[in-house]
Amino acid sequence: MIILLIMGLLCFCFAIGYAANFLLIKHQNQSFFSKRLFYPFLIIGLIFSIMSLPFVATDAPKAQADPSSEQLLKDQKQFTSEISRLKTDKEKLTSSLEDVTKEKEKLTKKLENITSEKETIKQQEQTIHELEEKIDKLASSNETLKKENKKANKDTQSSTVQRSAPKDDGTNTGGHESQKEKERIGCL
């Protein structure tokens, strides 16, 4: 491609030189300009130069590029792929974070419910404990009342026995009546 560029530049320079020579000769009053020679060299020179410029332009940076710039290009491609991978990871982690946040909210609500149930259970346990204490007090009161009632019954029976016991005024006719009274008192 460089050869094509050199040939194009030579043809173009020849055409320009031929035209300049004609202008200088024209000053000397000689008309010797051949259009058949000028225009083909000019056009071929321009076409070759224009055609070879893109190829030479792309080859020039490669020729001038040092190995470190090639490494930089490779690193840039690698970093670009790494950035795209990190973006996808970020999106996955963001969605995962949203899921975890929702789960945390659910667990927080459950914890609040469990805490309120625990408080209710504590209050119920306290109420049960108070009721058990009342039951114990009532049971001990009941036992005390039973003992007092038995004692009162014994006192009542002994006083009834003393009242109903026959007095010895000498009218006692036999042991038969006192036996009946003892049986009647024992039934009470």
Side-chain angles (χ1 to χ4, degrees), residues 14 18 33-42 44:
F14 174 76
Y18 181 73
F33 186 73
S34 172
K35 291 181 181 177
R36 287 183 181 178
L37 185 64
F38 174 73
Y39 285 116
F41 275 102
L42 181 67
I44 290 172

Side-chain angles (χ1 to χ4, degrees), residues 148-179:
E148 289 177 2
N149 191 14
K150 283 183 182 180
K151 186 177 179 183
N153 281 340
K154 285 183 181 179
D155 289 342
T156 307
Q157 283 179 359
S158 64
S159 65
T160 309
V161 169
Q162 288 176 357
R163 282 190 224 153
S164 64
K167 294 183 181 175
D168 266 345
D169 48 343
T171 58
N172 194 0
T173 56
H176 185 64
E177 283 181 20
S178 93
Q179 180 89 12

